[in-house]
Amino acid sequence: MSLLFSPLSIRSVTFPNRLWVSPMCMYSAVDGVVQEWHHTHLTQFADGGAGLIITEATAVVAEGRISPRDAGLWNDRQRDAWAPIVRAIHERGALAGIQLAHAGRKASTWWPWADERGSVSIADGGWQTGAPSAVAFDGFEAPVALDAARIEHVIDAFRDAARRALDAGFDVLELHAAHGYLVHQFLSPLSNLRDDSYGGSLENRARLLLRIVDAVRGVAGDGVPVFVRISATDHAEGGFTPEEAAIVSEWAVEHGADLIDVSSGGLVAHQKIDVHPGYQVPLAETVRRSGRIPVTAVGLITAAEQAEQVLADGAADAVFAGREWLRDPHFGLRAAHELGASIPWPAQYTRARWR
């Protein structure tokens, strides 16, 4: 039996398989409100055999958006736009997760296909960014250091967004603590130069993440899984390390997280990454620590046998893919066919199942 297409239960949720869709920003929202594009984009993966689909990074406050075109969940209008998308995913047999995020010093930037690069000026609709310290990401405008009151506001915003997500019907809540965004900025000594209770030691640098986990777990109750996506290394000297990531992951689980979604990088422009198929899988294995912490692996996982081997090797409990789902929205159906696994197909597609 294929491990990739075996079920996985976390709290009260049973995932039909372990081949999942990573959060991928579409830069197509209007005032944080998702559009018809998002409905079509996300539901196609449910038809394509995904067990779990996690939405793009969804800002918990307006100033937490990566770009002015990012999705949000800081008001009820945004919640109501997500609800029919979640229903459509469920109707197609998949589960829906949302990635709650705050971009910190990497907010207020131009979307990838814009003519401009770097930070969006206030005159062009941008805003002042905030971060643990007033240290800019290379090429971006400098942020202001968040004071204690604004940190409390961020924690409250994650809590409120989590509540709206559950009201919209989401099955999984993922907290974005990776890719150089706000929570990752607090975790890394390259971006966190604070000398208060949120800076210095690893315990202090992890404080914001753990307080957010506490807040979201309080909303999620006993039944809803809470994931945390981390960058397990900054790929830069003096930055956040895999060993620190494993420790912080243990703390997050102790505070109520159920699974660590292991990625890497994104904090600094001078990172040096050896990119190759499955290059981040060893990081997941380090964090997993012989199965004590449930983890997912991600990073150039593009083939059925490759994903199956990640699970067979005990490196992860499930696999996220991103670009491969964009290339082939029916990646799950194809992977199951290649592995000889039997999974439900849309009745409209069954003529293509075997030949």
Side-chain angles (χ1 to χ4, degrees), residues 43-121:
T43 55
Q44 66 180 338
F45 303 132
D47 280 330
L52 170 67
I53 300 157
I54 295 193
T55 70
E56 63 194 81
T58 301
V60 298
V61 290
E63 63 271 23
R65 290 171 293 169
I66 302 167
S67 83
R69 293 190 174 189
D70 278 34
L73 199 52
W74 65 84
N75 65 43
D76 292 350
R77 181 168 170 241
Q78 295 158 352
R79 175 202 63 195
D80 294 344
W82 278 118
I85 297 174
V86 175
R87 287 196 298 271
I89 290 171
H90 288 162
E91 288 167 359
R92 289 159 172 80
L95 297 176
I98 189 164
Q99 186 183 69
L100 303 177
H102 190 306
R105 70 179 188 173
K106 292 178 73 175
S108 189
T109 62
W110 293 98
W111 47 95
W113 57 88
D115 293 334
E116 305 287 341
R117 290 290 181 268
S119 297
V120 179
S121 69

Side-chain angles (χ1 to χ4, degrees), residues 42-43 94 105-106 154 166 180 190 234 240 292 297 333 339:
L42 292 166
T43 55
R105 70 179 188 173
K106 292 178 73 175
V154 167
L166 296 181
L190 295 179
D234 290 339
F240 194 57
R292 294 209 306 270
L333 301 182
L339 295 172

